[in-house]
Amino acid sequence: MNDYRINRLLKDLKNPNEEIRDRATAELWRIWFEQKGAIGFQIIRQAQLSLEAGEIKDAEITLTQLISDLPDFAEAWNRRAVLYYSIGEYKKAIADCKMVIKLNPIHFGALHGLGLCHAAIGEYREAIQAFHKALEIQPHTLINQKLILECTARLS
């Protein structure tokens, strides 16, 4: 990935102008989805269609095979984490989120997802840490601010 371009987008995520932040967010997602070219993107899309059709096992098999074939494709891990989160397999989702973050430390989506998973199983301190890390990258994201407050309240 082009470091200058990524650094510029990360800077734009902190811009006070919402339109600039939204464009930077969309562009980072595009880069992450297209990391492995058209083939990787198409396979992720196929898994998403399976998930939307309720064919969860097919989606999981597709993503697991993609991860096996391209273990450094962070978005494949992230998509499987989303799948696991959606079916309540929070520990598996946490493991996949951690792999995404290892491969792509600026992946604010995986950090947010990691927080959601920890919160879902009552690990509020870990959730707060993940939401804080996501906010370091996207400081204007209100949902993470709100979730930190909610998790903090649950600790009291």
Side-chain angles (χ1 to χ4, degrees):
M1 287 188 245
N2 180 324
D3 288 339
Y4 173 78
R5 187 168 159 221
I6 297 297
N7 288 336
R8 178 70 197 167
L9 291 168
L10 289 172
K11 184 178 175 189
D12 285 350
L13 291 177
K14 295 173 172 63
N15 193 297
N17 184 313
E18 184 177 3
E19 188 175 312
I20 291 171
R21 293 193 312 266
D22 288 348
R23 267 186 285 170
T25 299
E27 182 62 10
L28 283 166
W29 279 113
R30 187 194 64 73
I31 290 168
W32 296 339
F33 271 93
E34 295 178 358
Q35 177 194 354
K36 295 298 181 179
I39 298 293
F41 179 78
Q42 182 57 38
I43 295 170
I44 284 178
R45 181 77 183 121
Q46 175 187 342
Q48 184 61 34
L49 292 172
S50 293
L51 186 59
E52 289 170 7
E55 299 164 357
I56 293 163
K57 196 65 183 164
D58 288 345
E60 181 184 14
I61 289 167
T62 298
L63 291 168
T64 300
Q65 184 60 53
L66 181 57
I67 288 166
S68 177
D69 294 343
L70 301 169
D72 64 337
F73 188 9
E75 197 54 39
W77 289 94
N78 191 54
R79 292 294 97 201
R80 193 173 71 174
V82 170
L83 180 149
Y84 287 146
Y85 177 82
S86 73
I87 61 172
E89 293 280 349
Y90 303 118
K91 294 285 188 183
K92 287 181 178 180
I94 288 170
D96 280 0
C97 285
K98 287 181 177 180
M99 182 55 80
V100 176
I101 296 160
K102 180 179 177 186
L103 294 168
N104 182 359
I106 62 164
H107 201 299
F108 48 79
L111 288 164
H112 174 78
L114 182 62
L116 290 175
C117 291
H118 281 301
I121 57 176
E123 296 174 344
Y124 301 114
R125 283 183 175 75
E126 293 85 349
I128 291 166
Q129 287 176 332
F131 295 134
H132 271 296
K133 287 179 184 175
L135 279 173
E136 289 173 15
I137 299 164
Q138 277 187 313
H140 296 281
T141 308
L142 296 177
I143 187 65
N144 289 327
Q145 296 172 21
K146 178 181 179 246
L147 290 167
I148 288 169
L149 292 174
E150 288 178 12
C151 288
T152 303
R154 291 182 183 267
L155 286 173
S156 321

